[in-house]
């Protein structure tokens, strides 16, 4: 039985890139009866960049509702918010003391963030250590993540190894990243990687008229309606191919090549496709966003399962370090 674990930061509402690139593939993996999945909301990590409490609360709910909207089976698996299981922060402190300073100083994601952000706080610096704690607390074997997280996983293994050497046995289980190279980078409205930091994302849970407006904002070239167009160079077509059926994609491709089909038509078709394909996830998402007590109840139930496992690991770690009575 493989234990799969992954987390998503609550630093924004999930967008189409997060859903197609991370949430849906992780849910697919969780459907394998041989797997046990641990999916959590990394709300402590979000504090490195987002300070507003009310906003964080809103994003936590939106991320939780998205996992449920896309069919994550929280009863069979474990689903919780990181901040409610205090063992994450406790283990992170212990692991900090096993993490060489240069390893963090040379981390690519820290270098990137410290160039871009005005607030370069110590939390940003030790971010990978908290991530290592998230993984090692639960003896996770497989960590599905995007390519940008590869280095964080290498650090996790390195830190676990240092601890295990001191312990003289394998107390912390070394995980493996699972980076699915087939998952493409979903383009945003402007053709760059869709990301909340670039403000180019599509929130598929927006009310219908706003979703329509956003879809109209997708960048296109200035070709006139009558002219034939190259579907492979067009962002609307690329997004359509990610969500529509194979037959509908072929029809749109032919329309582009024939001419007499404008980008406005394609955007309308994409919008209609979003409304059709995501009808059920939109319904479930809205349900949980309106019934927050029920959503909270689900997270609290998951928290209890997570805590039980986390406490077992922390107990062993404390013993090794001389912190147990
Ligand atoms: P953002 O870039 O919006 O801040 P995150 O870094 O929080 O997104 O990403 C959360 C998860 O979603 C990660 O696993 C990441 O690989 C995935 N993801 C984010 N944007 C995209 C995208 N444009 N295409 C594919 N996957 C993405
Ligand atoms: N750093 C991850 C990201 O930005 C989020 C994350 C936090 C995570 N802890 C984790 C991912 C543990 C996998 C495992 O996408």
């Amino acid at each position: 039985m493989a234990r799969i674990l992954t987390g998503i930061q609550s630093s924004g509402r999930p967008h189409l890139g997060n859903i197609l690139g991370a949430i849906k593939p992780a849910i697919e993996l969780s459907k394998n009866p041989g797997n046990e999945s641990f999916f959590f909301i990394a709300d402590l990590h979000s504090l490195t960049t987002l300070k507003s409490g009310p906003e964080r609360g809103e994003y936590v709910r939106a991320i939780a509702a998205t996992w449920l909207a896309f069919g994550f089976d929280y009863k069979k698996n474990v689903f919780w918010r990181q901040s409610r299981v205090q063992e994450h922060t406790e283990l992170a402190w212990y692991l900090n003391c096993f993490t060489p300073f240069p390893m963090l100083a040379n981390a690519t994601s820290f270098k990137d963030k410290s160039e871009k952000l005005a607030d370069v706080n110590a939390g940003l610096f030790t971010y990978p250590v908290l991530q290592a704690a998230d993984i090692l607390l639960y003896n996770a074997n497989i960590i599905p993540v995007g390519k940008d997280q590869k280095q964080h996983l290498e650090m996790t293994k390195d830190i676990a190894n240092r601890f295990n050497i001191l312990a003289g046995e394998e107390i912390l289980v070394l995980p493996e990243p699972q980076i699915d190279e087939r998952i493409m980078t979903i383009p945003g409205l402007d053709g760059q990687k869709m990301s909340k930091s670039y403000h180019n994302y599509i929130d598929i849970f927006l009310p219908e008229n706003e979703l329509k407006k956003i879809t109209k904002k997708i960048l296109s070239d200035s070709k006139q309606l009558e002219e034939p167009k190259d579907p492979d160079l067009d962002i609307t077509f690329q997004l359509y191919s990610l969500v529509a059926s194979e037959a509908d994609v072929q029809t749109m491709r032919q329309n582009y090549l024939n001419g007499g089909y404008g980008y406005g038509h394609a955007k309308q078709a994409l919008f209609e496709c979003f409304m059709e394909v995501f009808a059920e996830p939109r319904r479930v998402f809205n349900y949980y966003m309106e019934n927050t007590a029920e959503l909270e109840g689900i997270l609290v139930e998951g928290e209890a399962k997570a805590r039980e496992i986390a406490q077992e690991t922390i107990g062993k770690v404390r013993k090794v370090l001389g912190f147990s009575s």
Side-chain angles (χ1 to χ4, degrees):
M1 157 101 57
R3 192 169 279 182
I4 320 278
L5 177 143
T6 198
I8 293 196
Q9 282 196 69
S10 48
S11 45
R13 274 167 66 107
H15 53 67
L16 188 65
N18 302 139
I19 291 168
L20 299 181
I23 295 177
K24 280 187 78 178
I27 291 176
E28 279 314 305
L29 264 181
S30 77
K31 288 186 178 155
N32 180 336
N35 290 342
E36 184 187 14
S37 297
F38 285 61
F39 295 163
F40 68 97
I41 301 158
D43 53 351
L44 292 171
H45 278 107
S46 75
L47 186 56
T48 58
T49 50
L50 175 73
K51 297 297 184 279
S52 156
E55 270 184 62
R56 189 177 349 277
E58 177 70 14
Y59 298 154
V60 166
R61 286 188 286 279
I63 291 171
T66 305
W67 281 107
L68 300 173
F70 281 91
F72 180 53
D73 184 349
Y74 63 90
K75 290 208 167 104
K76 173 188 157 218
N77 300 292
V78 187
F79 183 49
W80 75 106
R81 62 203 274 189
Q82 183 192 30
S83 62
R84 299 294 173 89
V85 178
Q86 291 172 5
E87 285 74 11
H88 287 254
T89 38
E90 183 177 344
L91 184 60
W93 174 255
Y94 302 150
L95 298 181
N96 263 315
C97 302
F98 287 81
T99 307
F101 179 88
M103 189 162 107
L104 294 178
N106 291 325
T108 326
S109 69
F110 175 69
K111 285 191 200 158
D112 280 356
K113 289 178 191 167
S114 49
E115 274 166 24
K116 285 192 197 124
L117 301 174
D119 170 24
V120 184
N121 57 65
L124 271 183
F125 188 69
T126 57
Y127 181 113
V129 186
L130 179 59
Q131 183 164 350
D134 298 338
I135 297 168
L136 299 171
L137 264 182
Y138 300 97
N139 308 319
N141 311 107
I142 297 172
I143 318 297
V145 280
K147 287 181 209 123
D148 58 323
Q149 297 295 312
K150 206 170 171 181
Q151 199 180 33
H152 288 169
L153 267 293
E154 280 159 11
M155 290 184 187
T156 301
K157 286 207 266 186
D158 189 320
I159 298 169
N161 221 0
R162 286 167 196 269
F163 179 86
N164 288 341
I165 289 172
L166 176 89
E169 59 178 309
E170 204 188 308
I171 302 264
L172 301 176
V173 174
L174 269 55
E176 281 306 325
Q178 177 161 309
I179 297 163
D180 192 339
E181 301 291 343
R182 287 167 313 172
I183 294 172
M184 59 176 298
T185 301
I186 316 296
L189 298 173
D190 55 358
Q192 281 195 80
K193 172 189 183 268
M194 186 180 290
S195 168
K196 51 187 167 292
S197 355
Y198 305 149
H199 302 289
N200 64 352
Y201 58 88
I202 298 177
D203 177 350
I204 58 149
F205 298 120
L206 284 174
E208 184 166 352
N209 55 343
E210 287 178 44
L211 181 57
K212 189 170 184 166
K213 258 194 235 155
I214 278 283
T215 313
K216 295 249 145 66
K217 286 194 183 149
I218 300 170
L219 195 72
S220 45
D221 63 26
S222 54
K223 283 209 172 70
Q224 298 301 305
L225 181 100
E226 322 71 64
E227 293 180 73
K229 302 172 181 68
D230 185 345
D232 298 317
L233 297 180
D234 184 55
I235 306 160
T236 305
F237 180 79
Q238 282 172 33
L239 290 171
Y240 191 72
S241 2
L242 291 165
V243 286
S245 71
E246 188 53 38
D248 288 347
V249 174
Q250 284 318 321
T251 308
M252 187 183 277
R253 172 178 286 283
Q254 210 48 57
N255 286 336
Y256 269 65
L257 297 171
N258 291 344
Y261 185 81
Y263 292 119
H265 295 129
K267 288 175 190 176
Q268 177 65 24
L270 177 62
F271 161 69
E272 284 168 12
C273 182
F274 283 154
M275 290 303 294
E276 191 191 319
V277 170
F278 297 130
E280 182 59 9
R282 283 169 59 88
R283 190 191 65 73
V284 180
F285 179 87
N286 287 328
Y287 172 82
Y288 283 113
M289 292 305 273
E290 280 157 22
N291 294 277
T292 50
E294 192 175 333
L295 185 64
E296 198 59 45
I298 291 172
L299 290 172
V300 169
E301 208 179 291
E303 220 171 281
K305 292 199 243 174
R307 194 173 293 121
E308 202 175 310
I309 301 166
Q311 282 179 348
E312 221 175 282
T313 309
I314 274 290
K316 291 186 204 161
V317 171
R318 282 190 196 146
K319 194 155 177 234
V320 170
L321 299 177
F323 290 126
S324 53
S325 51

